[in-house]
Amino acid sequence: MGKMDHYENDFESAMLKDTSAYYSQKASNWILEDSCPDYMLKAEECLKREKDRVAQYLHFSSEPKLLEKVQHELLSMYANQLLQKEHSGCHALLRDGKVEDLSRMFRLFSKVPEGLDAVSSIFKQHVFTEGMVLVKQAEDAASTKRFCY
């Protein structure tokens, strides 16, 4: 037959729709329950499992479409909530030097359209804040030194 019409129209479109609904439900629960690093681990695992499913069961042309749906539901839809989580979001990871989690964040969000915009904004704010703390400490040290003489 050689044509993909039936695969794309009869199977793939329904599969992509169901995949979106499935991961939308998962994400809405995870965002409430999990820390940012735990959520990202789950998202990373889901993306890996979907890639494996394509390799085992589906036509290779489904992979980019499927991964886009999963990334959209797990990352794009909850990017701000995930990155801004109070005790485990991007700022907390930067503050605590969680390099592995920050690497995972970069890998995941770099595949999402405009995904790194929010990450870079938080990083910029973190660098500015930390820089100002260092400048203040240097000023205080210099000021203390002047009063000692």
Side-chain angles (χ1 to χ4, degrees):
M1 311 259 243
K3 293 190 178 183
M4 295 291 292
D5 295 344
H6 291 292
Y7 175 83
E8 291 172 352
N9 297 330
D10 298 335
F11 170 72
E12 187 182 58
S13 61
M15 184 262 309
L16 293 173
K17 183 180 174 190
D18 290 346
T19 297
S20 287
Y22 175 79
Y23 283 111
S24 175
Q25 180 62 41
K26 289 286 190 190
S28 67
N29 291 330
W30 294 345
I31 197 69
L32 298 174
E33 300 168 357
D34 294 327
S35 66
C36 179
D38 290 343
Y39 185 102
M40 289 188 305
L41 281 168
K42 288 179 178 180
E44 191 174 55
E45 180 61 29
C46 289
L47 288 163
K48 181 186 178 308
R49 282 195 321 248
E50 293 301 332
K51 275 185 162 191
D52 292 345
R53 277 192 196 98
V54 170
Q56 291 177 350
Y57 306 115
L58 303 172
H59 191 267
F60 71 90
S61 66
S62 295
E63 184 173 317
K65 299 172 204 172
L66 184 62
L67 295 180
E68 189 277 326
K69 293 291 185 188
V70 176
Q71 289 166 345
H72 177 75
E73 294 301 333
L74 294 182
L75 300 170
S76 297
M77 294 298 292
Y78 291 99
N80 287 331
Q81 277 182 270
L82 186 61
L83 296 172
Q84 298 291 338
K85 279 197 171 261
E86 189 172 346
H87 300 292
S88 67
C90 188
H91 178 71
L93 297 177
L94 287 165
R95 180 193 65 220
D96 299 339
K98 301 290 187 175
V99 175
E100 188 176 328
D101 292 325
L102 289 165
S103 295
R104 181 174 296 108
M105 182 178 285
F106 178 82
R107 279 193 312 274
L108 290 170
F109 282 97
S110 66
K111 296 174 183 164
V112 174
E114 300 170 10
L116 291 177
D117 290 352
V119 175
S120 65
S121 176
I122 294 169
F123 182 74
K124 179 181 175 184
Q125 181 60 43
H126 175 76
V127 169
F128 178 80
T129 302
E130 291 299 311
M132 292 306 292
V133 167
L134 292 174
V135 168
K136 177 79 170 113
Q137 288 173 347
E139 287 175 348
D140 291 348
S143 150
T144 303
K145 199 173 192 180
R146 268 185 275 155
F147 291 123
C148 291
Y149 293 115

